Amino acid sequence: MNKSLRGLLVAVVGVAALAAGVYFGLLRTPDMEGQDGATLLALSLPNAAGVEQSLGQWPGKVLVVNFWATWCAPCREEMPEFVRAQSEYGARGLQFVGIAVDQADKVEQFSKEFGLNYPSLIGGYGAVELSKTLGNRLAALPFTIVVDRQGRIAHTQLGPLKPDKLRAIVDKLL
Amino acid sequence: MAYPPTSIGSPPRPLPRASAWAAGLLSALALAAALPALAQVNAPLPVDKAFRLSARALNPETIEARFVIADGYYLYRDRINFSIEPAAARLAVPPLPEGKVKEDQFFGKVQTYRGGLIVNLAVRDAKVGERVVLKVESQGCADVGICYPPNTQRISLVLPAANSAPTRPDEPAKKSWFN
């Protein structure tokens, strides 16, 4: 092959790979997937009563960590499904944990109103910065991280996690 | 073994013709060009791109703030706040224009802005020629089902003397070579 043609081909493939990276990278946040979730599991945040709770307190379980807020309508929309999934899969080792970008009183009220059957910890706006280090580049909500039984990040998702998708991911890990 | 094997593998292929290469290159180029465009359509925008804020001083006492809101994104009317620095200056914010009423299953009737928003803010007790910083807090979401936390954007501008032309946002102070 002619040298300049080969150079051009390499450049084109490079541009295509970069574009594909941008495309898929922005739709999903897969760069964290497969990585060790130790940083996440080492976190400790207060619950609505002010008692510190560690995310590492459920070793061996499949953990679904959901960053949300009471002011975020799409977050509220998907939470009844999380409540259903917690009841359905809880005994098999699934544990949901919310991290609220919100105030304790609002979270408490919401938890009662919606009958949340899993803990929601209070992260305040600082939780947004935290989620950025875990792959939430746009710092938007909802943002959800699924951690497998071995403590590895199995899935990260910006935006609603549709029931079918959630079940497909969880079924594989349990 | 008397003879070396004679038919292992396929015979060397003829080199592809130049036209085949050109077609391949063109398809790769088309793909490379299309992917970022697709990404722009589908990928959510960073908050400052979803809600682009600009501001300019119309006269010594008026700042025009303008949001350009990307398609598929909206701002909540009651979550927009304007303030100004230094603290000695004051801002009189008029009632914001009526937004589009949205019946939200959680928040009841809420007003949202789509497309854009222009607000003329009255500035009091600021010195002419003074550099001020307009702070705008806003909160919005995207139809794809994500919301951004409240976001504060700042625009620095200089209040012009009366009868001078409006300043552009973030216009650097003009430097004279003779001073």
Side-chain angles (χ1 to χ4, degrees):
Chain A
M1 201 193 305
N2 166 323
K3 254 188 190 168
S4 61
L5 192 62
R6 189 159 46 194
L8 181 61
L9 186 65
V10 166
V12 166
V13 169
V15 169
L18 190 70
V22 167
Y23 176 56
F24 293 110
L26 285 178
L27 282 179
R28 297 179 63 211
T29 52
D31 51 348
M32 298 303 291
E33 288 171 15
Q35 289 197 22
D36 189 1
T39 321
L40 177 66
L41 298 177
L43 278 174
S44 191
L45 289 166
N47 62 16
V51 182
E52 289 282 323
Q53 297 288 321
S54 160
L55 283 176
Q57 67 181 281
W58 297 282
K61 291 204 171 190
V62 172
L63 213 57
V64 181
V65 181
N66 171 236
F67 289 81
W68 69 286
T70 59
W71 47 260
C72 162
C75 304
R76 299 167 70 123
E77 251 165 64
E78 68 173 350
M79 286 169 84
E81 177 58 28
F82 291 173
V83 170
R84 270 193 291 279
Q86 180 63 63
S87 328
E88 198 177 321
Y89 293 93
R92 287 170 59 190
L94 180 69
Q95 182 62 54
F96 277 82
V97 187
I99 296 184
V101 181
D102 219 317
Q103 299 158 4
D105 55 338
K106 290 187 175 159
V107 170
E108 196 171 11
Q109 195 193 333
F110 179 90
S111 301
K112 281 183 191 153
E113 215 174 292
F114 273 67
L116 281 200
N117 54 359
Y118 57 87
S120 207
L121 311 180
I122 314 299
Y125 288 122
V128 175
E129 291 305 311
L130 170 68
S131 75
K132 276 163 90 172
T133 66
L134 297 162
N136 184 10
R137 271 167 290 182
L138 290 183
L141 299 176
F143 179 68
T144 304
I145 305 172
V146 183
V147 181
D148 70 12
R149 290 188 190 273
Q150 285 73 44
R152 279 188 306 266
I153 293 174
H155 184 84
T156 58
Q157 168 104 21
L158 174 64
L161 194 48
K162 299 278 190 300
D164 291 354
K165 193 172 179 186
L166 170 68
R167 280 158 197 271
I169 293 165
V170 164
D171 270 330
K172 229 186 289 172
L173 299 176
L174 284 174
Chain B
M1 196 190 282
Y3 300 100
T6 53
S7 62
I8 290 177
S10 46
R13 288 183 192 141
L15 280 172
R17 282 174 303 131
S19 59
W21 276 106
L25 280 173
L26 279 174
S27 339
L29 272 171
L31 184 72
L35 278 169
L38 277 172
Q40 275 187 344
V41 169
N42 291 316
L45 296 169
V47 65
D48 289 342
K49 292 224 162 63
F51 312 110
R52 284 180 190 273
L53 177 71
S54 61
R56 58 184 185 145
L58 297 181
N59 57 51
E61 292 180 336
T62 315
I63 294 174
E64 178 200 75
R66 183 188 288 255
F67 269 113
V68 175
I69 302 169
D71 270 357
Y73 294 77
Y74 57 92
L75 284 176
Y76 286 105
R77 180 180 188 248
D78 64 359
R79 295 187 198 157
I80 298 176
N81 286 301
F82 297 95
S83 60
I84 195 167
E85 285 170 353
R90 287 181 302 125
L91 208 58
V93 183
L96 298 184
E98 292 292 307
K100 191 180 163 198
V101 176
K102 183 185 174 194
E103 187 63 51
D104 189 285
Q105 61 165 316
F106 303 112
F107 309 128
K109 268 193 183 141
V110 289
Q111 289 193 33
T112 59
Y113 296 118
R114 287 178 182 267
L117 169 70
I118 298 174
V119 183
N120 281 351
L121 306 154
V123 186
R124 307 265 180 265
D125 303 330
K127 293 180 194 117
V128 165
E130 186 177 29
R131 178 164 289 275
V132 295
V133 176
L134 177 70
K135 277 170 63 180
V136 185
E137 193 188 86
S138 65
Q139 201 258 305
C141 302
D143 293 332
V144 292
I146 61 168
C147 288
Y148 301 89
N151 182 42
T152 303
Q153 290 161 286
R154 290 175 171 79
I155 291 188
S156 161
L157 35 81
V158 174
L159 296 172
N163 304 325
S164 66
T167 60
R168 302 305 308 172
D170 282 320
E171 187 180 57
K174 284 196 178 110
K175 281 179 189 156
S176 162
W177 293 108
F178 305 106
N179 287 345

